[in-house]
Amino acid sequence: VRTVGAKRIPVEPQPLVIAKPSAMVTQDVWHTQVAFSLHTDGNAFAMVGATDRMGRPTQLETIDPDLVVKRRVEKGIPTVEIEKKDHQLWPHGDIWHVPGRLIQPGEPWGISPLKAAAEAIGIGLSAATFGGRFFRDAGIPPTVLTVTSTTSQDSITRLKAQFLDLMRGNREPIVLSGDVQAKSLSVAPNESQFSETQQFMIEEICRFFFVPPNLVFRAISGQNVTYANMTQTDASFLKYSLMVPMGRVERALSELLDPNLNVKFNLAAFTRADLPTRYASYVQALTAGWMTVDEVRALEDLPPLGGN
């Protein structure tokens, strides 16, 4: 957008670095790559691929953060190494950088959420692995046969083999002699799967990534996932989870443009209310006189009443 007085006017056509930041991938894929880097490494990096006549970048090719090593500050300039070659961050060099949510004081680099949540993630994975191995390896025998009379080891072995033959693929009742008793052993699924532990770990991981558990269809302890709280979660997710990283990307891109231009993400999809709420708001706006019918129809992707 271009700032004119108190107004922000959309710019058409958009600057190339905004409309098509990469020569390899589409704009939406580029945004996904930046978001992926921010939420795994804690930093997003891109190589300045081209500039305009004013020296402003027109192309930014994202870089795998794993390739960006030896991150340090030399003589006040953030510097990194990529494929054994030193690069400085823009505007001193050719590397565009956006830090994530967590930044240690005195450093320009973001902290990886994965490293911060490593212990919680590790416990959750261990619980899931143990639960799977428990069922796969049959940690507890399904049935115990008790022989009340004195018998030899060979007889016990034959009895076991006979019982397995009877059980294999057989859903009919099994009749045993009076001196043999069978008892089934079982473990409650929630105990064998460590369900409560995994539930807590999911909530804990969501806290590290600032994601409401409702968005991964996991209710917080003592709550249920419902349509009502899911719709409320959308607003909370935007306010508490997305605004910080989105704001940093906006500012980092704005710094590449003319001083009168600013980058703003379109949040209409997040802030769009349900149909009854929107219609009630339109009625208020029309009654107060600060919107026209055609303006309302435009918001609903409908043509003007004149048909033009």
Side-chain angles (χ1 to χ4, degrees), residues 228-239:
N229 57 33
M230 281 297 291
T231 53
Q232 294 170 359
T233 297
D234 287 345
S236 297
F237 181 54
L238 173 62
K239 182 176 181 180

Side-chain angles (χ1 to χ4, degrees), residues 67-202:
L67 300 178
V68 183
V69 298
K70 295 184 179 178
R71 304 173 190 180
R72 72 258 187 209
V73 178
E74 291 186 351
K75 298 180 180 180
I77 300 176
T79 306
V80 299
E81 181 181 298
I82 302 173
E83 296 181 342
K84 298 182 179 181
K85 182 179 178 181
D86 282 348
H87 295 263
Q88 295 177 330
L89 299 192
W90 181 267
H92 305 283
D94 57 355
I95 300 298
W96 179 76
H97 168 245
V98 182
R101 179 184 292 271
L102 305 175
I103 306 175
Q104 185 172 331
E107 294 284 344
W109 321 109
I111 299 173
S112 168
L114 291 179
K115 291 182 179 178
E119 183 175 354
I121 293 174
I123 293 174
L125 290 175
S126 297
T129 301
F130 180 87
R133 188 168 60 245
F134 177 89
F135 284 101
R136 183 179 64 250
D137 298 339
I140 294 179
T143 307
V144 173
L145 295 178
T146 302
V147 181
T148 57
S149 61
T150 303
T151 185
S152 64
Q153 183 62 45
D154 289 341
S155 298
I156 291 176
T157 301
R158 286 196 300 271
L159 175 63
K160 177 181 176 181
Q162 292 171 357
F163 184 80
L164 290 175
D165 286 338
L166 291 171
M167 288 289 294
R168 191 173 292 114
N170 184 10
R171 302 287 295 179
E172 298 181 2
I174 296 175
V175 180
L176 302 174
S177 63
D179 60 349
V180 179
Q181 297 179 356
K183 181 180 179 181
S184 296
L185 299 181
S186 63
V187 176
N190 64 314
E191 295 177 0
S192 61
Q193 293 279 16
F194 285 93
S195 298
E196 292 184 0
T197 300
Q198 293 189 54
Q199 167 84 8
F200 174 76
M201 287 303 106
I202 290 175

Side-chain angles (χ1 to χ4, degrees), residues 33-44 98-101 111 113 245 249:
Q33 292 173 337
V34 170
F36 182 84
S37 296
L38 289 176
H39 290 91
T40 54
D41 181 86
N43 300 270
V98 182
R101 179 184 292 271
I111 299 173
V249 174

Side-chain angles (χ1 to χ4, degrees), residues 245-255 262-265:
M246 288 174 67
R248 289 191 176 149
V249 174
E250 287 175 341
R251 287 187 289 274
L253 288 173
S254 297
E255 290 174 356
N262 287 285
V263 176
K264 295 292 179 183
F265 281 108

Side-chain angles (χ1 to χ4, degrees), residues 172-295:
E172 298 181 2
I174 296 175
V175 180
L176 302 174
S177 63
D179 60 349
V180 179
Q181 297 179 356
K183 181 180 179 181
S184 296
L185 299 181
S186 63
V187 176
N190 64 314
E191 295 177 0
S192 61
Q193 293 279 16
F194 285 93
S195 298
E196 292 184 0
T197 300
Q198 293 189 54
Q199 167 84 8
F200 174 76
M201 287 303 106
I202 290 175
E203 295 175 12
E204 191 73 2
I205 293 168
C206 284
R207 291 188 186 102
F208 277 103
F209 287 94
F210 297 89
V211 174
N214 286 359
L215 288 184
V216 295
F217 299 99
R218 178 70 73 162
I220 300 175
S221 301
Q223 294 183 350
N224 295 317
V225 177
T226 66
Y227 175 79
N229 57 33
M230 281 297 291
T231 53
Q232 294 170 359
T233 297
D234 287 345
S236 297
F237 181 54
L238 173 62
K239 182 176 181 180
Y240 299 110
S241 304
L242 295 184
M243 291 305 292
V244 170
M246 288 174 67
R248 289 191 176 149
V249 174
E250 287 175 341
R251 287 187 289 274
L253 288 173
S254 297
E255 290 174 356
L256 308 180
L257 305 177
D258 182 279
N260 292 325
L261 301 181
N262 287 285
V263 176
K264 295 292 179 183
F265 281 108
N266 186 350
L267 306 179
F270 274 101
T271 58
R272 188 177 178 85
D274 57 68
L275 191 62
T277 303
R278 295 204 309 275
Y279 281 10
S281 299
Y282 295 153
V283 170
Q284 292 180 3
L286 291 170
T287 303
W290 59 271
M291 286 187 74
T292 67
V293 172
D294 282 347
E295 287 174 335

